[in-house]
Amino acid sequence: MSRRQFIMAAGAGTAVAGGAMAGLGGWDAQAGAAQHFALRSRQTSFQFGDHVTKGLISLTDNAPSPVLRVRQGERAVFDYTNGLEDYTSMHWHGIRLPNAMDGVPYLTQMPIGQDETYRYEFTPPDAGTYWYHPHCRTMSQMAHGLTGMLIVEERGDQGFDADIPLTLKDFRIGSDGQMLPYFTARGAARAGTHGNVRTTNWQQDPVMDVPAGGLIRLRFAVTDITRVHRMIFPDVAGRIIAWDGQPVDEDIPWPTAEAPLWLAPGQRVDVVIKAPAVEGEELTFRSLKGRNSPFNVLRLRSVGADLKRDIADVKPLPRNPFAHPNVKEAEVRDIVFGWSPEGEGSNNGLCGTFDYTFWSINRSPWPGDVVSGIAPVAELKQGRSYILRMRNESPNLHPIHLHGLVFKPLRSNLRTLPANYTDTILLLKDEVVEVALLADNPGDWAFHCHVIEHQKSGLSGYIRVV
Ligand code: C2O
Ligand code: CU
Ligand code: CU
């Protein structure tokens, strides 16, 4: 099997040599053709264990939503039709795009009603691993499965023998296969409500076949609404090549059981490993549950003749074309994430709200769907550099995500953070992190915790760039 065929097989979810059907379906823009995708949300079913679960949501039938692959620097069009009764919208997590295409109800567009189509159209400036999810009825639609990966291909072949997108997502499912309540007030006020069925591409403990001795690119994305993964990679030659879509500037250590890699909701990591040279040998990627009980996220099994690749052949990914903040001249803005001062319910908008708020940004809980009259968390001048000093005043973890811009960590009061550009940063208990950004993309950009129960119970706001 040639490299290209193998990549296609992995992308298309084909079973190879008896491997589990662990891949995600992929929709590619054909070479040279216009990049136009017609997407429609729908109710669907899926069998996770012994029973079929009904009432899931996907862009395809009886399977997770497809991996959308587009080319860097070329216009892409996504016509998204709402096939559900509930309102929706689609957000392209991590992509630096025009504000009107960002998919945030009330901030950038109106919610999309049943059978309505909204055209999202943008030219992705950066290659890398991104993902998409609704931003209206976010909690219920994501909990029911509506998330997918968006891959922006680098120009030119990067020399991998396989390229495998992997979405890590839990579901809350009862013994008869029925969906259990996916949020709880108790969870929302603490670490969030965790799922009990842990999946990779909707499969539990999947095994995927990879070419023996090949260089395998794995793209992990945490698309779960709650779980902060602590990942342990197998003890083999490997390298972390990208973090939250961007090629790494500073090395991220290879994660071990003693020092796992924290990967929070919204975050992605691109990894290259060398597959075992001997056919039939396996590698296991794990994640820690609770204090230290690991579960399998992925198993790779080598097939075919040894390709004899060498990890030293991996070249760094090409840098993406964005300008960097000028840290010396940056103005500092303080942002505090904490409890909600009042704890009142949010207003009852079209996009789904809770009866309570627990969380706040700068002491003000997000009031719900409508933003008129709500001040931004910060107002930044286009073209200027800023340092956001973000303080977590709570004992819980908060992956803080900013739309439309990238930022890089400068320092933390608790640990050393590699200075890699990102769109989502995990704040630990009592952590204060300073990040730098260049406010080069005008608009109102959503800014929130990606534990969706936190987002929906107050830990949300927006940053204005004018
Ligand atoms: Cu991935 Cu505002 O979201
Ligand atoms: Cu986003
Ligand atoms: Cu949070």
Side-chain angles (χ1 to χ4, degrees):
M1 209 178 221
S2 76
R3 172 194 298 169
R4 185 67 200 158
Q5 280 168 328
F6 208 98
I7 291 174
M8 297 308 287
T14 315
V16 184
M21 293 273 286
L24 289 167
W27 296 352
D28 287 31
Q30 295 300 313
Q35 307 193 94
H36 185 193
F37 299 82
L39 312 173
R40 185 184 179 89
S41 57
R42 68 199 66 192
Q43 301 263 352
T44 194
S45 309
F46 192 76
Q47 188 162 346
F48 289 102
D50 295 338
H51 297 93
V52 172
T53 298
K54 295 204 181 96
L56 295 165
I57 305 174
S58 178
L59 297 182
T60 189
D61 291 320
N62 307 314
S65 292
V67 178
L68 306 177
R69 283 183 183 266
V70 299
R71 296 182 299 273
Q72 180 181 17
E74 294 182 36
R75 196 175 68 102
V77 177
F78 304 89
D79 283 321
Y80 176 45
T81 303
N82 181 7
L84 307 170
E85 276 174 36
D86 278 340
Y87 284 89
T88 191
S89 74
M90 197 59 92
H91 169 60
W92 315 93
H93 182 122
I95 304 274
R96 299 184 302 120
L97 41 57
N99 196 234
M101 297 294 118
D102 198 37
V104 180
Y106 304 104
L107 219 49
T108 70
Q109 67 169 91
M110 289 305 285
I112 307 169
Q114 185 173 18
D115 292 326
E116 287 173 5
T117 301
Y118 192 94
R119 171 164 287 195
Y120 295 97
E121 190 172 1
F122 52 86
T123 300
D126 303 330
T129 303
Y130 303 93
W131 63 296
Y132 57 90
H133 61 80
H135 225 282
C136 173
R137 300 258 159 200
T138 315
M139 183 76 224
S140 95
Q141 292 180 6
M142 281 178 67
H144 286 86
L146 186 54
T147 69
M149 216 179 264
L150 174 62
I151 290 178
V152 183
E153 307 269 14
E154 291 89 12
R155 297 189 181 90
D157 186 349
Q158 300 302 310
F160 303 114
D161 301 300
D163 179 334
I164 306 177
L166 301 152
T167 59
L168 309 186
K169 176 156 185 17
D170 301 347
F171 292 85
R172 276 175 62 78
I173 293 172
S175 53
D176 298 331
Q178 79 282 17
M179 288 285 303
L180 298 173
Y182 46 83
F183 70 88
T184 58
R186 191 189 148 78
R190 294 179 178 81
T193 306
H194 287 82
N196 59 341
V197 173
R198 296 177 295 274
T199 73
T200 300
N201 299 352
W202 290 23
Q203 304 283 337
Q204 296 171 77
D205 189 10
V207 185
M208 299 185 78
D209 291 340
V210 292
L215 294 178
I216 316 300
R217 180 181 192 168
L218 303 171
R219 304 171 186 258
F220 292 98
V222 179
T223 63
D224 191 43
I225 51 180
T226 311
R227 184 176 301 281
V228 177
H229 281 267
R230 284 170 298 147
M231 304 195 65
I232 306 166
F233 292 170
D235 189 14
V236 286
R239 203 168 283 172
I240 293 176
I241 54 169
W243 180 249
D244 289 335
Q246 303 298 343
V248 294
D249 292 321
E250 284 187 14
D251 278 352
I252 300 174
W254 195 248
T256 61
E258 295 70 46
L261 180 74
W262 295 62
L263 198 66
Q267 296 192 299
R268 295 86 64 206
V269 66
D270 286 44
V271 172
V272 184
I273 57 107
K274 179 172 156 64
V278 178
E279 184 159 42
E281 274 188 19
E282 281 189 10
L283 296 177
T284 306
F285 292 74
R286 293 171 299 155
S287 179
L288 285 174
K289 187 163 76 71
R291 264 184 206 286
N292 50 16
S293 63
F295 62 93
N296 289 357
V297 162
L298 173 69
R299 281 185 287 151
L300 297 180
R301 180 170 53 197
S302 284
V303 295
D306 183 4
L307 293 184
K308 300 202 166 92
R309 299 294 305 276
D310 187 338
I311 201 79
D313 296 344
V314 176
K315 30 178 188 133
L317 295 170
R319 298 191 66 94
N320 283 317
F322 52 82
H324 300 257
N326 179 340
V327 177
K328 285 205 185 87
E329 284 171 17
E331 261 176 58
V332 179
R333 296 299 165 89
D334 280 290
I335 301 173
V336 177
F337 304 98
W339 299 103
S340 153
E342 290 126 36
E344 279 164 26
S346 45
N347 67 46
N348 191 20
L350 302 178
C351 286
T353 43
F354 280 19
D355 290 334
Y356 37 78
T357 59
F358 294 121
W359 302 98
S360 63
I361 302 182
N362 288 348
R363 319 257 172 249
S364 122
W366 185 248
D369 284 351
V370 182
V371 291
S372 57
I374 298 164
V377 171
E379 189 164 314
L380 312 181
K381 290 212 180 62
Q382 192 181 344
R384 293 264 184 90
S385 297
Y386 294 88
I387 291 172
L388 307 182
R389 188 190 291 140
M390 305 196 285
R391 174 188 301 274
N392 178 9
E393 270 191 356
S394 80
N396 300 106
L397 302 174
H398 301 291
I400 302 297
H401 171 50
L402 175 61
H403 290 209
L405 300 160
V406 289
F407 56 85
K408 80 170 172 187
L410 298 175
R411 60 190 74 89
S412 154
N413 63 333
L414 299 180
R415 54 181 167 153
T416 310
L417 290 170
N420 292 311
Y421 282 92
T422 178
D423 49 67
T424 308
I425 192 161
L426 182 64
L427 293 195
L428 307 177
K429 173 183 193 296
D430 301 323
E431 189 171 32
V432 184
V433 169
E434 291 182 27
V435 303
L437 65 80
L438 176 66
D440 59 355
N441 197 3
D444 286 345
W445 299 109
F447 179 61
H448 59 87
C449 180
H450 227 290
V451 170
I452 309 299
E453 283 167 291
H454 294 173
Q455 177 192 358
K456 283 299 207 176
S457 59
L459 219 167
S460 188
Y462 68 100
I463 286 183
R464 174 168 287 165
V465 177
V466 282

